[in-house]
Amino acid sequence: MDAPIRSTDETLCHCQEDQAHFLERAFEQLGLDDSRRRLLLHSFREISVQIPLEVQRNGQREVETFTGVRVQHNHARGPFKGGLRFHPLVEQGEVRALAQLMTWKSALADIPFGGAKGGIAVDPRQLSTGELETLTKRFTQKMAPVIGVHRDIPAPDVGTSPQVMAWIFEEYSKTNGHTPAIVTGKPVELGGAEGRLEATGHGVAFLTARACLGRDIDIAGARVAVQGFGNVGMHTARRLAELGALVIAVSDVDGGVICESGIDVLEASAHVAECGSLAGFRGGDPITNAELLSLPCDVLIPAALDGSINCDNEPGVRAGLVVEAANMPVTHGADAALKERGVEVVPDVLANVGGVAASYFEWVQNLQQLPWSRDALLGRLEEHLARAFDTVIALREHRGVDLRTAAYELAVARVLRAVELRGF
Ligand code: NAD
């Protein structure tokens, strides 16, 4: 297994600090006073719950107590919306920053949702399926008073899956009646949207191609490296390969592979589906995550966890374009250094916005009880993404700022407008 993704000089809560830095530039562009800044930064509600669970450890039953959190940041533009993360490092500060990011992302995509995030500090790989189901259902019971179809709608994130969403749907429906719209990212058989599973990666690939165009790089033949081969990384790589890009390296928590002539991404996906990770995949030479990040290539796509590109390893980055498929994979220090070197960063708030946009489409289908086809969903998704991308590019040109500042400025202005229209 590779070393932890974060650099030693950055705390677990670096997300909050990064977010504050990125927002500061947008706040300045908008000329916001302190009271408005505080209003926009504060969470609406933060909850932490205790979830005791009997687990099997070394052949013995013992009670372990897990901590679950949900942060609801802002709902001026619509119900709170955001993923649930099952990971040992889940903690309130990081979740708070990710909840904020969801608010800006929904606003940037111009969909009627606010922002939230949550999770449980647990390594799901250490639990049996039965234990995971019980843990998820107990978490749902404790969150039930504050979630709801028009209140807060969870979705999958790192370490959670359509199956986890199905368990939440079941538990919530016990007391509220059949409520598929309580979560998005469900299995298709239970009202999940065709195309939702691959939507975030599809969107990342679509925006990567647009960003390449702006740099006179043809996506067909572009050399791309992708860190993280879970839902987002795998579907990004698959779509990029369909668009003709050469995916020269991919990796996950257990390490990666490189193949200069292009990895067979479908074979790699099949290997992960069968074996649970890229370990043992023979479609290239072994490579570490650190080596992948410093490969000479046209596009580098961090699609794992936050903080993967930080001040320690930024000097090694040799790609001309970095597309943030993960949330907050580039720390603010590394972001400034990349900018200084002329490396363009397509920020998370724009790059992976396909996830929340597709979630919105699933929610709409559930409310209307009218399913759409996969093509209809991905077609609408591309329209939304193209509009968001073009608007951010236009603002960037107008203001003479970087993409991230332009994206944040646009999103913050939309949220503030909604807050002011509704009144305090
Ligand atoms: P996932 O759990 O499906 O996949 C995560 C991947 O990262 C796995 O391949 C895992 O092995 C790898 N990984 C974990 N730790 C690593 C390490 N230390 N080094 C290298 N690789 C490591 O999660 P996902 O849903 O693909 O989410 C990935 C990122 O994208 C997260 O930041 C998430 O918040 C963000 N995101 C996800 C969605 C979505 O729709 N799933 C939408 C928007 C943003």
Side-chain angles (χ1 to χ4, degrees):
M1 193 182 284
D2 269 331
I5 214 160
R6 294 176 178 87
S7 83
T8 45
D9 66 334
E10 283 155 317
T11 66
L12 287 184
C13 285
H14 76 87
C15 285
Q16 269 186 291
E17 209 190 309
D18 290 336
Q19 177 97 228
H21 271 266
F22 297 146
L23 276 169
E24 185 59 33
R25 302 204 297 252
F27 287 170
E28 270 168 27
Q29 291 288 340
L30 289 164
L32 297 191
D33 58 24
D34 282 351
S35 62
R36 282 189 165 64
R37 290 177 190 217
R38 276 197 297 277
L39 178 69
L40 288 168
L41 289 175
H42 258 263
S43 306
F44 172 84
R45 182 189 279 138
E46 299 191 1
I47 306 153
S48 171
V49 295
Q50 176 205 58
I51 321 165
L53 182 75
E54 209 183 10
V55 292
Q56 190 80 28
R57 289 275 179 274
N58 307 320
Q60 299 215 311
R61 305 294 300 168
E62 56 185 56
V63 175
E64 201 164 319
T65 302
F66 295 93
T67 302
V69 294
R70 186 79 179 162
V71 173
Q72 298 174 331
H73 173 243
N74 185 293
H75 63 162
R77 290 174 46 91
F80 298 108
K81 183 83 187 90
L84 275 183
R85 183 174 281 203
F86 288 180
H87 190 277
L89 297 181
V90 162
E91 56 82 44
Q92 196 117 357
E94 181 188 50
V95 173
R96 186 180 297 132
L98 292 167
Q100 269 192 21
L101 183 60
M102 286 304 300
T103 300
W104 316 130
K105 237 188 256 186
S106 300
L108 190 64
D110 209 7
I111 55 176
F113 280 149
K117 201 81 175 188
I120 304 178
V122 61
D123 182 351
R125 301 203 292 188
Q126 302 295 321
L127 297 184
S128 69
T129 305
E131 289 166 350
L132 201 56
E133 176 176 348
T134 307
L135 184 74
T136 304
K137 289 187 171 175
R138 286 189 185 157
F139 176 73
T140 308
Q141 286 161 12
K142 297 192 169 180
M143 290 293 164
V146 296
I147 61 173
V149 171
H150 298 289
R151 187 165 287 168
D152 185 353
I153 307 131
D157 194 79
V158 175
T160 53
S161 61
Q163 176 60 74
V164 172
M165 297 305 113
W167 291 328
I168 296 174
F169 161 41
E170 161 60 16
E171 191 60 31
Y172 188 82
S173 294
K174 277 180 189 159
T175 44
N176 294 277
H178 188 78
T179 321
I182 184 60
V183 280
T184 56
K186 298 173 289 293
V188 172
E189 302 90 318
L190 291 177
E194 298 270 7
R196 168 64 187 92
L197 191 66
E198 62 269 42
T200 310
H202 188 96
V204 172
F206 177 79
L207 292 173
T208 300
R210 298 282 284 225
C212 278
L213 209 60
R215 296 177 69 84
D216 287 332
I217 301 169
D218 191 349
I219 194 66
R223 289 158 47 83
V224 186
V226 182
Q227 184 202 38
F229 206 65
N231 176 284
V232 178
M234 182 202 295
H235 288 293
T236 298
R238 284 169 72 152
R239 182 62 187 154
L240 283 170
E242 281 173 13
L243 296 175
L246 269 191
V247 179
I248 59 163
V250 292
S251 68
D252 65 14
V253 68
D254 293 324
V257 282
I258 178 167
C259 177
E260 288 292 343
S261 57
I263 286 169
D264 185 331
V265 182
L266 285 181
E267 248 182 46
S269 312
H271 179 90
V272 171
E274 196 187 331
C275 308
S277 94
L278 283 168
F281 176 58
R282 303 255 173 269
D285 297 321
I287 187 174
T288 65
N289 270 289
E291 287 164 344
L292 179 141
L293 294 175
S294 57
L295 286 176
C297 56
D298 296 307
V299 190
L300 174 62
I301 305 188
L305 293 179
D306 48 81
S308 58
I309 300 177
N310 47 58
C311 291
D312 287 352
N313 61 12
E314 172 281 325
V317 171
R318 286 193 276 168
L321 179 66
V322 174
V323 180
E324 292 188 327
N327 286 321
M328 303 199 198
V330 179
T331 64
H332 73 270
D335 187 65
L338 289 170
K339 188 172 160 193
E340 190 75 28
R341 289 203 280 128
V343 178
E344 181 152 59
V345 178
V346 181
D348 48 8
V349 67
L350 175 63
N352 66 35
V353 82
V356 70
S359 278
Y360 167 59
F361 297 147
E362 180 173 325
W363 182 73
V364 167
Q365 291 175 52
N366 292 154
L367 293 183
Q368 296 183 338
Q369 300 192 33
L370 188 66
W372 310 349
S373 68
R374 175 179 183 273
D375 286 352
L377 183 138
L378 295 178
R380 277 207 183 187
L381 184 71
E382 291 188 0
E383 274 171 36
H384 256 72
L385 297 182
R387 213 166 28 241
F389 186 80
D390 291 347
T391 316
V392 172
I393 293 287
L395 188 61
R396 177 185 72 166
E397 304 302 314
H398 178 62
R399 294 283 207 208
V401 293
D402 56 275
L403 271 181
R404 194 187 306 272
T405 306
Y408 269 112
E409 181 182 336
L410 194 61
V412 169
R414 284 178 179 166
V415 173
L416 184 63
R417 176 82 182 133
V419 170
E420 290 182 334
L421 280 172
R422 290 177 69 153
F424 306 110

